[in-house]
Every structure is written in structure tokens, then in C-alpha cells.
Amino acid sequence: MPFYQRLGDVPRKRHIQFRDNGTLLTEEVMGLEGFSGNESILYHLQSPCRVMQIGEFEPIVREEWVPDTHQHRLMNTKEIAPEGDEVTGRRLLMWNNDVEISICRPSGTMDYFFRNGEGDEVIFVHEGSGTLETIFGDLPYREGDYIVIPRGTTYRFVPEGEQRHLVFETPGLIEIPRRYRNQYGQIVEGAPYYHRDIHPPAQLNTHREKGEFPVKVRVRGGYQTYVLDYHPFDVVGWDGYLFPWTFSIHDFEPITGRIHQPPPAHQTFSGRNFVICSFCPRKLDFDPLAVPIPYHHSNLQSEEMIYYVSGNFGSRKGVDVGSITLHPSGLPHGPQPGLAERSIGMHETGELAVMCDTFYPLKLSTLARDLDDGKYAYSWYEPAAGETTEAGLTSHL
Ligand SMILES: [Fe+2]
């Protein structure tokens, strides 16, 4: 998506004969919006349609929690038990028709290949490193990376070390915000990142092995498994604008001002009816009368989910690394009592967080119910001295 790339061998022109040891290769045009959106062209040793066995279809089952009350929520995901792999271990927290947000702490590794056939993915790597092996080549990743995987990309995680991922899956497209790009697609001056910060696959390895290779494809609300008799990474070359890439949150250049900058200054990606933002360590507002932490706001048409990665979050009390706050639409929210006063004179923040604002309400899963602390909504309440709230929070917390 970000710019033209080419790896391996491709013929002089599109749609002409291209051979490997005399055998005509299979050309696959993989594109968006029919034949007018971004695309890549891949050259395969085998037809990508070739399957030796059609396996099981497993429908995706979402366990929804419909809370009795509408309120702000705080969930700590830090201690969720590892399970599954980098795909089957995704544990859904919240979702709507535009995005699904999951936490993944895999306990095992993938012994199959995966392809999301109905959506784009962004995986924020909170902990761990490794290589995302893909049909476009190997994509190394490390802590702090966003891995952006367009639909249709066959891949497999080869992790190094324990992994903790925050996963966004969307039936829409993940894009670089339009205002960051000029009419030709180049990222403009003033945008918080540049092409040099975007890392496409580093190396293409063409596999010629035969055997049995299961590929699990997310389609039509479930996972369909196919078995191939050849390694799915049989591409000798490709070129185009569609490929997986990484961008490190540590390469996001924060935009600061004399007075407070609103959340769009932190926008990293845009999706269909949602945005993903990165809150990074930065200098704070420098007007002598500035209040450096955010003003209260009523996000009347947004649901705001923030995942806390590291550092101290100035506008939140009692929020730990791995916690998520959810400020649903229809309610105001802002820093807890005393924090605005305390922030005056602060010059910088070390916070690191990932935010997802959706423009339509989010549903919650039973996992969100299990992690919900139940008392965060009272954290703006200051009872009279000696009193405690229902939730047991005292005014000095
Ligand atoms: Fe907010």
C-alpha cells in the first residue's frame, strides 16, 4: 500500500510469458477494488488455486457480554493465560461491524499457514519479536512494531520469545491517513512518519518443497482449511503496492504544541469507521498557562479504547501496563480529579499507548466481562472525607 516494491524476479512486462526452468509460471494479480485499486502481481510455481483436500470449516463463535449498565470500563489484560498460537490464540475483547480487537498471548506456534480472506489486520507487538513469513517474503518484527497485513496475504508467525499482541481485524482497509499523503501517495512533510519508517518484506524465499501444507483461510465468518501438496510460498517474484509491512511505534514523531493537541495529532492509521492512534513519549504543551493533560471531552459519536503499553499515563490513575480503558459514546470523560492541577508545569511524558476510536458502538465479549474491574466508572467521584464509594475507592486514590 505505501509505495511500489519489487522482490525476486518478474518479467519485463505484465502478462507476458515468464518461465522457471522452462515451465510457464502462473501469474496472479492480487488487487483491491476490482482492477482499479492497489495491487501486486505474483509469479507462482503452481496455480494458487491448486488444493489437494478441502478440510473443515469452523465458524467463528463470539461470546457476547451485554452489560446491565452503560459506563466507563477498565480491564487489565496483563495476566490472561497464554493459549493457542498467534492466530488461534486471539481472544476477542470488543468488536463491531468495522473492527475486532483482541489480545493474543500465544502458548504455541503455528504448524499451518494462515490467510485472512475477509479483512486487513494490524498487529501491535507489545512483547516479543520474530519473523512473519509471508508469500511476499520474510518480514522481521520486534517489540513496538505494528505489523500491517493486507487481506489475502498467506503468512505464518515464527516467533522469538514470549509474545503479547494487540490485534485489530477489519473488513475494511487499513490505510495511511489521507492527509499524510500528497496526490501521488508520497507521505508529506509534517506527517508523523515517512516512507523510511515503513518496512516491507526484507527477503523473498522461494519454496519448492512438496508435501502436505495446511492453509487456514478466514472467510465468511469462519475458518476454512485447505491442504496443498506444495509449499504455499512458491513465489519467484512479485511487484506492486500491496504487501505486508511494519512500522514501529517508536518511529512515530509526536506533534506537540504550545497548547494541547487533540487526538488526531496522534493518528497512525485510518480504517473504515475507526482510527488507530499512537501516544508516544513527548514534550508537553509549553504555554505558561497550558494545562498539559487532555481536557474533558464528550466523544458523542466515538467509542475510545486505549491500550496502555508502558510508562505512566498522566491522565489516568490506577492504570497499569496491559490495561485497557473503554470510554463509550454518549458519556464525557477526562482526567481524574487532581490530575489536571498536578500536570501543570510538567514538561514531558513517557507514556506509550495505542488508541482505537470507533465511530459506531462496540460490543463486549465475556472475556471483557471477566477482566472488567467494575469500579473505574467511579474514579471521578470524590466522596466526603471518611466516606467510601460503593466500589470502595477513596478520594485519595
Ligand atoms: Fe479521550
Side-chain angles (χ1 to χ4, degrees), residues 14-239:
R14 295 180 283 190
H15 324 319
I16 62 169
Q17 290 180 35
F18 186 42
R19 294 179 185 275
D20 176 81
N21 292 326
T23 306
L24 191 63
L25 294 172
T26 303
E27 182 184 56
E28 179 194 9
V29 175
M30 187 175 143
L32 301 169
E33 298 171 37
F35 291 91
S36 50
N38 282 344
E39 68 176 31
S40 283
I41 303 179
L42 300 85
Y43 295 89
H44 295 270
L45 296 171
Q46 304 288 341
S47 160
C49 311
R50 177 177 168 126
V51 294
M52 68 185 279
Q53 192 187 333
I54 297 175
E56 295 284 302
F57 179 83
E58 311 155 56
I60 293 173
V61 179
R62 300 186 184 93
E63 292 180 7
E64 185 178 357
W65 169 46
V66 182
D68 294 333
T69 55
H70 186 71
Q71 61 187 70
H72 295 313
R73 300 193 181 276
L74 170 65
M75 308 155 201
N76 191 336
T77 69
K78 184 96 172 111
E79 300 302 332
I80 66 163
E83 66 173 56
D85 56 45
E86 287 81 359
V87 174
T88 61
R90 294 175 185 176
R91 301 186 64 190
L92 187 64
L93 285 165
M94 47 195 86
W95 79 97
N96 63 16
N97 288 334
D98 301 309
V99 64
E100 296 171 13
I101 304 170
S102 310
I103 286 286
C104 185
R105 279 190 86 190
S107 59
T109 52
M110 296 170 69
D111 56 1
Y112 61 92
F113 298 88
F114 178 70
R115 176 162 80 237
N116 194 328
E118 59 181 9
D120 287 4
E121 300 182 348
V122 174
I123 298 161
F124 175 73
V125 181
H126 185 177
E127 292 174 0
S129 59
T131 301
L132 186 77
E133 294 182 348
T134 83
I135 199 164
F136 295 97
D138 289 352
L139 190 63
Y141 68 90
R142 59 186 172 183
E143 190 171 304
D145 279 352
Y146 291 101
I147 309 173
V148 181
I149 310 175
R151 67 200 57 220
T153 302
T154 305
Y155 68 81
R156 177 169 69 177
F157 272 90
V158 181
E160 286 166 27
E162 289 201 9
Q163 309 281 310
R164 185 187 294 271
H165 300 168
L166 176 67
V167 183
F168 301 92
E169 292 171 76
T170 172
L173 298 177
I174 292 292
E175 296 184 307
I176 294 171
R178 184 66 193 86
R179 67 183 186 280
Y180 295 172
R181 295 177 277 141
N182 68 20
Q183 61 178 313
Y184 305 103
Q186 186 172 14
I187 296 174
V188 297
E189 291 293 326
Y193 53 89
Y194 190 53
H195 297 277
R196 295 178 204 182
D197 301 315
I198 290 171
H199 305 287
Q203 190 180 341
L204 180 69
N205 298 309
T206 306
H207 288 264
R208 295 167 187 269
E209 302 97 282
K210 298 282 183 186
E212 288 194 10
F213 299 89
V215 181
K216 192 192 285 261
V217 185
R218 179 171 171 168
V219 278
R220 305 292 164 96
Y223 298 110
Q224 173 67 58
T225 297
Y226 302 92
V227 183
L228 313 187
D229 66 345
Y230 63 98
H231 195 296
F233 300 162
D234 70 335
V235 168
V236 303
W238 63 270
D239 73 342

